[in-house]
Amino acid sequence: MHTAMVFAPHADDASAFCGGTLAKWSSQGWKIVLVRVTDDARDSVGLTIEETKKRNREDLEKSCEILGIKEIIHLDFATDTLADVPLTKLRERSVYLIRKYRPYAIFSFDPYAHFEPNMDHVRVARAVEEALWVSCFDLHHPEHFKEGLEPFSVCERWYFARYLEKITYAEDITEFFDKKVSALSAHETMMRNILNQFRLQLKTWGYRVPIIDEAFSGDYRGLLEQVLYLQCSQIAEECGMSEGTLAEGFRIDRFGDMEAFFQQFAEPIKDVSQGPKRLFFDKYWPDK
Ligand SMILES: [Zn+2]
């Protein structure tokens, strides 16, 4: 059984960006480990900091249960302040967890995506990107080895973003769309805060959108489902998938320019379980 590790700056990131894919993979037997980097202590409307922390943590537990995520690691950095945390500190925690859990694939924000207004997203993406090579070096953080850990390299990087410059692979999540909607809906504390942000902005414009007001104070699932349906069907359409398909988009990287070489010359290692065959490297796939 292979492991996938998700690096999520905040509680709702995994459901929002790759929830359908995680639900699909966990149903196929993958072990999913979610690393939640911050404490989300300020993401709410009208609650105290302590209550916000508690509720967001409970919401995350509910959403992970829906997605089949068995293990959550809370790093508890103060939310919305990762810009002030040394990158090497975030990187060291990432290296440690990669060495400890030895994931086959990682999911993370794309470190090279544009138009990302949230510095927590940017910092975690950068730290994880560096951790991917630092984790291989036996002279980086040798203190980890005293615990019995070893240098380790992740095989696949699955990057998501608000605006991916290029989707290189779309995962068909049609059958798991409902789980994605339920998992994101479970983040009630954060969802109401997002709706409140829209209300404030609309008010500045001098308008209100009744459906947003109704969702803010009542049931928001229907609205969330509509928004996610639009997103996921657009991705599927852009990627030429058949009508009615719902998908999540990623930029996947594995061996970079070495992909074709490795595809041609790789031999299975005895007594080591082989990873899934991947057909998404169209550009590098030698038979095409
Ligand atoms: Zn976030």
Side-chain angles (χ1 to χ4, degrees):
M1 183 175 63
H2 286 297
T3 298
M5 181 172 261
V6 190
F7 286 91
H10 310 114
D12 61 342
D13 293 328
S15 305
F17 292 97
C18 56
T21 303
L22 298 178
K24 183 174 180 177
W25 287 28
S26 69
S27 80
Q28 291 169 351
W30 283 73
K31 177 187 174 184
I32 316 280
V33 178
L34 178 90
V35 182
R36 180 226 196 174
V37 181
T38 75
D39 58 6
D40 297 302
R42 289 167 200 274
D43 200 340
S44 67
V45 196
L47 300 177
T48 64
I49 282 186
E50 276 319 304
E51 188 64 17
T52 303
K53 266 166 95 162
K54 185 173 162 282
R55 291 217 197 163
N56 278 328
R57 193 175 169 126
E58 287 167 1
D59 291 351
L60 177 62
E61 281 160 9
K62 278 184 223 156
S63 105
C64 283
E65 208 180 307
I66 294 163
L67 300 177
I69 298 171
K70 301 276 176 350
E71 191 159 353
I72 311 170
I73 297 153
H74 301 274
L75 295 185
D76 276 332
F77 284 93
T79 199
D80 303 331
T81 61
L82 291 185
D84 295 334
V85 175
L87 204 59
T88 46
K89 190 172 174 184
L90 288 172
R91 189 181 78 182
E92 185 277 330
R93 283 295 80 197
S94 308
V95 169
Y96 175 80
L97 293 169
I98 286 169
R99 285 174 174 171
K100 184 170 175 185
Y101 286 89
R102 306 168 68 80
Y104 182 84
I106 62 113
F107 287 83
S108 173
F109 274 99
D110 190 332
Y112 307 110
H114 299 303
F115 312 119
E116 174 50 72
N118 190 310
M119 279 309 285
D120 285 359
H121 295 176
V122 173
R123 299 291 279 180
V124 172
R126 286 277 167 185
V128 169
E129 174 81 338
E130 279 207 334
L132 293 168
W133 56 266
V134 170
S135 62
C136 307
F137 284 32
D138 55 15
L139 292 177
H140 270 307
H141 302 295
E143 69 276 14
H144 297 166
F145 307 137
K146 288 184 192 139
E147 286 182 36
L149 304 182
E150 290 173 12
F152 179 80
S153 185
V154 171
C155 185
E156 296 175 359
R157 312 150 190 216
W158 290 55
Y159 291 126
F160 50 77
R162 280 179 224 264
Y163 304 101
L164 274 176
E165 200 167 299
K166 190 177 189 306
I167 292 175
T168 60
Y169 182 73
E171 182 80 87
D172 182 341
I173 60 147
T174 315
E175 277 178 49
F176 298 87
F177 178 71
D178 200 51
K179 290 209 169 195
K180 179 183 173 82
V181 177
S182 299
L184 193 57
S185 296
H187 291 282
E188 183 176 349
T189 317
M190 291 181 158
M191 292 306 110
R192 296 211 187 279
N193 193 23
I194 288 176
L195 290 163
N196 191 47
Q197 291 169 67
F198 283 130
R199 288 170 80 220
L200 290 174
Q201 194 179 4
L202 285 162
K203 196 174 160 191
T204 307
W205 188 29
Y207 287 89
R208 62 182 283 261
V209 173
I211 194 173
I212 296 282
D213 289 343
E214 282 155 27
F216 173 70
S217 46
D219 187 0
Y220 52 82
R221 191 190 152 110
L223 177 63
L224 197 61
E225 185 167 351
Q226 275 182 44
V227 172
L228 291 175
Y229 187 89
L230 202 67
Q231 271 179 10
C232 295
S233 53
Q234 269 173 3
I235 290 170
E237 199 188 324
E238 245 176 72
C239 297
M241 298 165 104
S242 58
E243 214 185 312
T245 305
L246 299 170
E248 286 172 335
F250 299 94
R251 181 177 72 82
I252 300 177
D253 195 0
R254 195 158 70 169
F255 302 116
D257 290 350
M258 298 299 284
E259 185 70 36
F261 185 81
F262 291 166
Q263 292 278 4
Q264 199 170 349
F265 296 106
E267 296 172 5
I269 303 174
K270 221 180 138 205
D271 303 326
V272 172
S273 69
Q274 273 69 54
K277 285 247 181 200
R278 297 293 194 200
L279 294 169
F280 45 64
F281 307 102
D282 285 350
K283 201 169 113 193
Y284 302 113
W285 195 252
D287 294 338
K288 286 196 174 177

